[in-house]
Amino acid sequence: MKLAYWMYAGPAHIGTLRVASSFKNVHAIMHAPLGDDYFNVMRSMLERERDFTPVTASIVDRHVLARGSQEKVVENITRKDKEENPDLIILTPTCTSSILQEDLQNFVNRASLDSKSDVILADVNHYRVNELQAADRTLEQIIRFYLEKAKTKNDLVIEKTSKPSANILGIFTLGFHNQHDCRELKRLLTDLGITVNEILPEGGSVTNIKKLPNAWFNLIPYREVGLMAAKYLETEFTMPYVSITPMGLLETENCIREIIHIIKDLDPSYDLDFESYIDNQARFISQAAWFSRSIDCQNLTGKKAVVFGDATHAASMTKILAREMGIRVSCSGTYCKHDADWFREQVDGFCDEVLITDDHTQVADMIARIEPAAIFGTQMERHIGKRLDIPCGVISAPVHIQNFPLGFRPFLGYEGTNQISDLIYNSFTLGMEDHLLEIFGGHDTKEVITKSLSTDSDLVWAPEALVELQKIPGFVRGKIKRNTEKFAREQNVNEITLEIMFAAKEAVGA
Amino acid sequence: MTMTNSTLTESLTFDCETGNYHTFCPISCVAWLYQKIEDSFFLVIGTKTCGYFLQNALGVMIFAEPRYAMAELEEADISAQLNDYKELKRLCLQIKQDRNPSVIVWIGTCTTEIIKMDLEGMAPRLEAEIQTPIVVARANGLDYAFTQGEDTVLSAMVQRCPNTPSVTKDLKEILPTQQKNLETVGQKSSLVLFGSLPTNVATQLTLELERCGIQVSGWLPSQRYLDLPILNDNVYVCGINPFLSRTATTLMRRRKCKLISAPFPIGPDGTRAWLEKICAVFGLRPVGLVEREKKIWDSLQDYIALVRGKSVFFMGDNLLEISLARFLVRCGMIVYEIGIPYLDKRFQAAELDFLEKTCHEMNVSIPRIVEKPDNYNQVQRIRELQPDLAITGMAHANPLEARGINTKWSVEFTFAQIHGFTNARDILELVTRPLRRNKALENLGWNQLVKI
């Protein structure tokens, strides 16, 4: 048992559901008790999704506990098959089904006899993998399933496209700025004369999976999801892949060089002058290089920062801060414990120390000890920063609704470098302003009841009414106090009692 | 499902569907109960799934150093390689050291049910060992929905309430407040209200009863665990929320309390009926309640004008549905369907009667009550009926809005202040918000925001 207040990565089934619901026309059925379908709430609220989330639960209740799911799961699958007509139904186990040890594979086999759609059981163990690992695995599982299916049906097309082309794997729902990154990647590939073959899983269709091998190579923008699929495609179809995250100027450059290298291998006649493209982008199109050179950025030299997040974002961010902006990264860390070795190797030489943990109190203690000028982390670090009065830029999931901006905010590619520069700069400046405010005494003390300027009130507040007033949340307390006093004056009452307070509320209807 | 199934009827009808509906897990009660009971600590014994739910459902609250935590079960706990008792002792000692709460509440989850972890058996032993009371509540998704979580916690807490100081005891020994209570109810019986409410709402209801000449001798739960009310066979109890049927049963069976079955004090009509019922039990004639109710209705006229004649569909997820529907019918709305996770017809009897009566008085058909609804079927019915408002969980709200259906998130009714005369306006504020907002956007031509 572990005493836990907060977690960075969610349970395994969330990863499976994220991948499943990113595909078009794929339905996931969770084998879970009532209330475990809060994934639908997250997707509907955070992504502001317009469509119903294609996830339903086959409810595990007392009866199921006593007698087993029996026909229930099968019925739910065939019912969903008729109602929604999906291409694929994924039966998703949860922590509950892990311990019930029902033969879900058997249900899947039976249900697929009666269903038009394909039916598979997500191969994830709640107690062994987390959200990200499960997502990676599920994506690979679906791709493998359809490619093997195509193989047996003999309609696999391995022929490469005539022009250089790429698949982008790992863009999916509830991913940190994934939609924006995807758009930016497409632009980058277009600039390089490469067409996009398939993007999976976001917006992809399982019927198109058989076309995956047509592409020349796979691009894996995020380390956490897509790598397993890319490795499978490499061994099975000798498709090369690029897994350098194009985040920051230097890494974008590395990513491009790697892509060009692969393409030139396959087609020696490819003759884009990519060196001048990179040079032009870095010096004149992106503002990041110039920004690093400008005197604004000089002020940031040697300032201490702490970075924490998923492996991809934390590693990239550490490198940007250290190499491209001259900021001192005192500690760099990730909660992707399963990928610790890769992470250590990536940030080696770019930070003073490395922290691998999924315990947020350790992260908080580290930040408190280092006292950096800015933090770059997840929503958790943002709140740690709030408590310690240290500004924080959010660079990685887990995230809140404000990390799903409507405007175009990629983290990858050349536009991404601009966004990141803004983020870094704003974090530091705001911190400085805050500090100045503190020095010049800008803030109220917390005991003050209202923000009204005059204090010449002739009204007396009864002690119990005052206690009641204190219970009202700070941001409306002033308004309520004013309204109550106004009401009391109108009623010619001098002492405000509890009764008067509530009567005032009823009268003004506030 | 077709229109025929949704046809309105003349008397109460009850249907039961498949139970494939969306609601919150009952462990969410931790969110409001730890705030209500100030000296408590809630330990949810479950998996990452439970933790992730709490973290996402409760949003920013988690960052305010909450007095709740997960005892996260790992593989070794599930396969019994670790000793549950020793593990829980280790965690509870840590909690005691860090927070020193007056009570630790263990919330049992689906996992502890399935692996049959004997929480009720371990708690008394551990309690004796660490000298901190441990209350066990099984608030799991196998048995319960959303607000029923509070019901399981309160019914477990009933057992911890003290007995009354004996009546023969010298009155001087009794604390002044208790003395006052004993005097006002003629030393014979007292009134304890059950249900967790924000403290100011509890104060408001207490004041309303005082106006009727009734002294409330205690609340379950109280602000502090150490102040739990006295319960015995002289105590009348009355619920303030429709989802507290287990607590009511426990109060009657275990503590021999007398239950006052009344409509719930939601809406001015409900509040008056609730007060009148309590007054009747205590043999008092309420004074000025009719005028008071009328005054509140008068003050709501601007909102009522907005909802009159409009239709509403409750998908059902928090058990407040019957009371809210009854109030909205009184406001002049037409209710198409009342979805509800679970309906205890005995505990809600007075409320159901009141609903029927209200429908007759307002001359509208009685809505269909659907227990354990099926959300898929409900969405089909909503498509056909095109209600002016759907009260629904957050999983369906945005998709319905994108299809031109006004929605209100049902969860807000759980967290908003909706009880008593004073807060009637807050209910209508919530109900009318989508109508007011969408009215402002009505003429822009963007009501359908999905491609069909």
Side-chain angles (χ1 to χ4, degrees):
Chain A
M1 263 179 231
K2 196 167 88 178
L3 196 62
Y5 293 88
W6 208 77
M7 63 187 81
Y8 284 101
H13 70 268
I14 297 285
T16 298
L17 297 179
R18 283 175 64 188
V19 167
S21 60
S22 297
F23 278 105
K24 262 191 225 149
N25 216 23
V26 170
H27 201 99
I29 295 184
M30 300 167 67
H31 187 241
L34 195 65
D36 271 3
D37 59 350
Y38 59 87
F39 173 75
N40 297 31
V41 175
M42 288 170 60
R43 185 154 185 269
S44 178
M45 296 309 289
L46 296 176
E47 287 264 39
R48 298 182 197 87
E49 185 55 56
R50 299 173 197 218
D51 281 317
F52 292 99
T53 302
V55 173
T56 39
S58 176
I59 305 281
V60 176
D61 56 15
R62 273 289 152 190
H63 299 289
V64 170
L65 221 54
R67 307 176 307 148
S69 296
Q70 296 190 359
E71 299 302 314
K72 203 173 183 182
V73 174
V74 178
E75 268 166 28
N76 277 316
I77 295 174
T78 47
R79 180 186 160 188
K80 208 35 84 180
D81 176 55
K82 291 199 183 74
E83 282 169 358
E84 307 271 356
N85 224 344
D87 296 322
L88 169 68
I89 293 175
I90 301 181
L91 183 60
T92 309
T94 59
C95 58
T96 309
S97 49
S98 279
I99 29 178
L100 282 176
Q101 298 196 322
E102 285 194 83
D103 190 357
L104 295 179
Q105 186 59 54
N106 174 36
F107 296 149
V108 163
N109 296 345
R110 274 168 55 204
S112 51
L113 295 177
D114 297 335
S115 308
K116 275 197 225 115
S117 45
D118 298 310
V119 189
I120 62 174
L121 172 67
D123 173 29
V124 290
N125 180 330
H126 175 92
Y127 294 96
R128 303 273 166 88
V129 293
N130 69 18
E131 173 182 0
L132 298 169
Q133 293 164 291
D136 200 13
R137 195 178 285 255
T138 304
L139 181 59
E140 190 247 15
Q141 195 190 353
I142 295 173
I143 288 175
R144 183 191 289 263
F145 176 82
Y146 277 98
L147 286 175
E148 274 167 14
K149 193 180 168 192
K151 244 192 243 171
T152 52
K153 282 171 76 183
N154 246 339
D155 64 351
L156 197 62
V157 197
I158 309 193
E159 218 171 280
K160 297 289 166 201
T161 54
S162 54
K163 281 195 160 179
S165 61
N167 299 318
I168 304 175
L169 302 182
I171 305 285
F172 70 150
T173 193
L174 293 171
F176 184 74
H177 293 243
N178 275 18
Q179 309 283 1
H180 312 286
D181 285 348
C182 184
R183 212 169 117 191
E184 183 64 19
L185 288 177
K186 280 194 268 185
R187 192 162 81 177
L188 181 66
L189 291 174
T190 309
D191 281 356
L192 298 174
I194 298 165
T195 54
V196 176
N197 187 49
E198 289 292 332
I199 297 169
L200 288 182
E202 185 63 47
S205 164
V206 288
T207 51
N208 284 349
I209 287 181
K210 59 172 186 261
K211 293 188 205 150
L212 278 183
N214 300 7
W216 290 27
F217 72 101
N218 293 312
L219 178 59
I220 315 300
Y222 315 109
R223 207 176 151 71
E224 285 75 21
V225 178
L227 212 51
M228 272 182 84
K231 283 179 181 159
Y232 163 74
L233 289 164
E234 188 185 38
T235 42
E236 206 66 19
F237 300 94
T238 55
M239 286 180 79
Y241 67 87
V242 177
S243 64
I244 298 172
T245 304
M247 189 168 151
L249 283 169
L250 291 172
E251 288 301 288
T252 303
E253 195 179 313
N254 286 342
C255 180
I256 292 173
R257 281 180 208 284
E258 180 91 2
I259 290 171
I260 301 294
H261 178 71
I262 285 173
I263 290 176
K264 283 203 166 158
D265 256 8
L266 293 167
D267 176 14
S269 68
Y270 178 84
D271 67 340
L272 182 91
D273 183 4
F274 65 93
E275 286 298 347
S276 73
Y277 172 77
I278 289 172
D279 183 61
N280 191 45
Q281 288 285 335
R283 289 200 295 143
F284 305 110
I285 307 295
S286 158
Q287 301 293 316
W290 158 234
F291 175 74
S292 305
R293 181 80 203 197
S294 72
I295 46 172
D296 264 350
C297 198
Q298 242 176 51
N299 288 335
L300 305 182
T301 312
K303 279 211 187 298
K304 279 197 291 187
V306 161
V307 180
F308 196 84
D310 64 24
T312 300
H313 288 88
S316 304
M317 202 67 193
T318 304
K319 287 189 261 186
I320 293 170
L321 289 167
R323 283 194 297 194
E324 296 177 22
M325 302 188 97
I327 291 162
R328 174 159 178 194
V329 181
S330 302
C331 181
S332 173
T334 181
Y335 56 85
C336 296
K337 284 158 86 175
H338 60 277
D339 213 9
D341 293 341
W342 177 86
F343 185 80
R344 280 207 181 83
E345 186 193 316
Q346 289 295 307
V347 299
D348 183 41
F350 298 119
C351 59
D352 299 343
E353 58 179 303
V354 176
L355 179 66
I356 312 281
T357 181
D358 56 3
D359 176 357
H360 77 272
T361 52
Q362 272 192 43
V363 180
D365 290 346
M366 175 269 289
I367 292 172
R369 169 172 55 84
I370 291 175
E371 285 188 75
I375 311 167
F376 298 94
T378 71
Q379 280 293 334
M380 189 69 218
E381 283 67 49
R382 194 170 75 86
H383 285 269
I384 295 170
K386 264 189 182 170
R387 195 178 301 168
L388 299 170
D389 268 333
I390 301 171
C392 176
V394 176
I395 55 142
S396 157
V399 282
H400 280 177
I401 194 154
Q402 65 262 40
N403 301 115
F404 292 89
L406 303 175
F408 185 49
R409 299 270 174 76
F411 269 64
L412 303 187
Y414 287 108
E415 178 55 29
T417 61
N418 293 336
Q419 297 291 340
I420 292 169
S421 299
D422 278 344
L423 181 77
I424 294 173
Y425 184 63
N426 288 342
S427 303
F428 280 108
T429 335
L430 290 176
M432 184 56 84
E433 277 169 12
D434 209 41
H435 185 59
L436 289 175
L437 259 176
E438 210 57 62
I439 290 173
F440 297 110
H443 292 299
D444 280 343
T445 49
K446 280 174 187 146
E447 285 74 26
V448 174
I449 287 175
T450 70
K451 283 184 184 155
S452 60
L453 292 174
S454 68
T455 49
D456 56 346
S457 167
D458 50 346
L459 293 159
V460 183
W461 281 74
E464 69 271 16
L466 215 49
V467 170
E468 194 68 24
L469 188 64
Q470 292 281 14
K471 284 181 206 148
I472 293 162
F475 59 96
V476 286
R477 196 180 297 144
K479 185 179 162 202
I480 287 173
K481 184 174 185 239
R482 278 193 302 279
N483 284 340
T484 310
E485 290 184 347
K486 193 171 144 221
F487 175 82
R489 280 197 193 96
E490 280 164 10
Q491 305 287 315
N492 287 321
V493 182
N494 290 329
E495 189 185 6
I496 296 173
T497 57
L498 268 184
E499 298 261 354
I500 293 288
M501 258 187 99
F502 297 141
K505 189 186 178 207
E506 283 162 22
V508 296
Chain B
M1 291 293 143
T2 57
M3 279 292 281
T4 49
N5 282 346
S6 330
T7 312
L8 308 173
T9 49
E10 295 307 316
S11 62
L12 287 174
T13 52
F14 303 97
D15 287 306
C16 188
E17 283 191 312
T18 61
N20 277 328
Y21 65 101
H22 166 78
T23 183
F24 273 0
C25 175
I27 59 172
S28 50
C29 67
V30 164
W32 62 88
L33 287 177
Y34 93 81
Q35 289 181 326
K36 173 72 193 178
I37 309 170
E38 288 170 355
D39 52 352
S40 63
F41 191 98
F42 284 78
L43 184 67
V44 182
I45 305 161
T47 61
K48 255 189 188 328
T49 307
C50 313
Y52 204 59
F53 165 70
L54 283 179
Q55 171 173 324
N56 281 291
L58 309 186
V60 289
M61 271 188 265
I62 188 87
F63 302 110
E65 290 210 24
R67 290 185 319 279
Y68 70 81
M70 290 291 308
E72 195 185 312
L73 300 170
E74 292 166 300
E75 198 164 13
D77 297 301
I78 303 301
S79 53
Q81 287 165 26
L82 292 170
N83 181 314
D84 297 336
Y85 184 81
K86 281 186 189 156
E87 289 295 298
L88 281 169
K89 184 180 165 188
R90 182 171 60 81
L91 300 192
C92 287
L93 280 174
Q94 194 181 333
I95 291 165
K96 195 178 172 186
Q97 191 194 335
D98 293 351
R99 308 293 174 100
N100 194 27
S102 307
V103 61
I104 298 175
V105 183
W106 285 355
I107 303 286
T109 62
C110 303
T111 311
T112 56
E113 288 296 312
I114 297 170
I115 64 173
K116 299 197 166 43
M117 193 183 275
D118 182 19
L119 298 177
E120 277 94 347
M122 284 187 279
R125 271 170 65 205
L126 191 54
E127 179 172 323
E129 203 171 338
I130 68 170
Q131 292 296 308
T132 298
I134 296 173
V135 172
V136 181
R138 299 179 176 196
N140 61 68
L142 294 169
D143 301 305
Y144 304 109
F146 195 12
T147 48
Q148 287 179 291
E150 175 180 322
D151 195 20
T152 62
V153 174
L154 295 191
S155 68
M157 241 166 223
V158 167
Q159 312 286 1
R160 303 303 182 113
C161 292
N163 277 313
T164 194
S166 87
V167 194
T168 53
K169 217 175 186 180
D170 194 336
L171 277 178
K172 281 173 196 161
E173 286 178 27
I174 304 172
L175 294 169
T177 51
Q178 284 170 351
Q179 196 174 348
K180 195 174 146 203
N181 292 349
L182 286 171
E183 279 160 9
T184 46
V185 294
Q187 294 193 21
K188 268 193 286 185
S189 44
S190 58
L191 176 66
V192 168
L193 300 178
F194 59 97
S196 165
L197 283 182
T199 311
N200 57 329
V201 182
T203 314
Q204 284 163 9
L205 288 182
T206 307
L207 278 177
E208 296 290 358
L209 281 164
E210 258 172 41
R211 272 189 203 145
C212 298
I214 297 169
Q215 205 75 38
V216 176
S217 63
W219 280 80
L220 175 74
S222 45
Q223 190 87 6
R224 297 171 56 78
Y225 174 78
L226 295 174
D227 301 336
L228 280 178
I230 291 161
L231 293 177
N232 65 6
D233 56 358
N234 275 328
V235 173
Y236 279 97
V237 288
C238 189
I240 49 90
N241 267 322
F243 45 77
L244 298 170
S245 58
R246 265 179 84 91
T247 310
T249 313
T250 315
L251 284 164
M252 285 191 293
R253 295 208 183 137
R254 297 298 186 86
R255 307 304 297 262
K256 308 293 175 213
C257 300
K258 286 169 271 190
L259 178 71
I260 303 175
S261 173
F264 300 99
I266 292 169
D269 49 343
T271 308
R272 182 183 135 201
W274 181 76
L275 289 167
E276 281 176 347
K277 185 67 194 279
I278 297 174
C279 285
V281 168
F282 282 89
L284 294 166
R285 184 185 297 244
V287 184
L289 273 190
V290 179
E291 295 75 28
R292 180 136 168 77
E293 188 196 351
K294 185 174 178 303
K295 212 176 140 199
I296 297 289
W297 283 115
D298 288 345
S299 72
L300 300 178
Q301 280 313 315
D302 50 341
Y303 277 160
I304 288 175
L306 285 172
V307 299
R308 193 178 290 128
K310 296 247 166 46
S311 55
V312 58
F313 189 110
F314 285 89
M315 284 186 81
D317 72 348
N318 58 17
L319 285 95
L320 295 171
E321 291 88 1
I322 306 273
S323 310
L324 287 173
R326 178 260 304 150
F327 168 61
L328 293 182
V329 168
R330 178 63 71 185
C331 290
M333 292 189 91
I334 299 152
V335 181
Y336 284 151
E337 175 168 327
I338 307 176
I340 187 168
Y342 166 75
L343 182 61
D344 183 331
K345 285 181 197 157
R346 280 204 303 178
F347 183 61
Q348 295 227 41
E351 186 64 90
L352 286 167
D353 284 348
F354 198 26
L355 170 70
E356 201 170 358
K357 189 170 142 240
T358 306
C359 288
H360 286 315
E361 283 175 10
M362 296 303 289
N363 203 19
V364 292
S365 302
I366 292 170
R368 174 179 187 242
I369 296 173
V370 182
E371 219 182 332
K372 298 177 108 195
D374 184 293
N375 279 167
Y376 182 85
N377 295 342
Q378 285 186 315
V379 169
Q380 307 307 314
R381 294 200 285 270
I382 287 176
R383 278 192 177 142
E384 292 191 37
L385 294 163
Q386 292 286 316
D388 295 306
L389 181 69
I391 296 183
T392 173
M394 287 193 273
H396 294 100
N398 267 339
L400 285 172
E401 286 282 350
R403 284 158 184 78
I405 304 278
N406 300 322
T407 60
K408 184 74 231 144
W409 312 329
S410 47
V411 178
E412 285 197 73
F413 293 101
T414 322
F415 293 113
Q417 306 187 347
I418 61 169
H419 292 80
F421 286 124
T422 315
N423 298 308
R425 200 176 174 85
D426 293 41
I427 309 176
L428 284 179
E429 163 73 26
L430 289 178
V431 169
T432 57
R433 194 177 296 157
L435 303 174
R436 282 178 286 133
R437 197 270 311 262
N438 292 351
K439 200 171 171 154
L441 311 177
E442 193 167 66
N443 297 322
L444 298 173
W446 302 328
N447 294 334
Q448 282 283 337
L449 289 154
V450 282
K451 287 178 189 150
I452 306 164

